[in-house]
Amino acid sequence: LVPYLKKAFALDYSEAAFIQGSFFAAYGLMSIPASRFIENMGYKIGMITGFLVTAFGCLLFIPAGMLNEYHWFLCALFVIAI
């Protein structure tokens, strides 16, 4: 994904690093809240919620593509990684 977005938005290396950074930042920011959610709600509800959040993140690619905005792609990747 990085080479394609880099080419589509004419990004330099530091801007392209935000693509991976936004994805892995979600792991660091959401790991503890997600584990507490699973503790409280259970694994089945946690899995369903995870699938729904991932589907929502995938749907965010549609407006990102229509608007052709780099930061919307970063937000969509962040939501998918949650």
Side-chain angles (χ1 to χ4, degrees):
L1 185 61
V2 175
Y4 298 109
L5 287 177
K6 187 175 176 184
K7 184 178 179 182
F9 293 110
L11 304 174
D12 60 8
Y13 287 107
S14 63
E15 292 170 328
F18 280 116
I19 297 168
Q20 291 176 334
S22 69
F23 193 82
F24 291 113
Y27 290 150
L29 293 173
M30 295 304 294
S31 59
I32 294 174
S35 67
R36 292 206 176 135
F37 179 81
I38 291 172
E39 263 182 10
N40 293 335
M41 302 304 285
Y43 285 104
K44 187 183 280 188
I45 300 293
M47 289 293 291
I48 292 169
T49 305
F51 289 139
L52 291 174
V53 170
T54 302
F56 177 69
C58 291
L59 289 174
L60 284 177
F61 276 105
I62 295 170
M66 294 165 112
L67 295 172
N68 202 23
E69 292 284 335
Y70 172 64
H71 65 277
W72 283 107
F73 281 101
L74 293 180
C75 291
L77 284 173
F78 185 83
V79 172
I80 288 173
I82 288 175

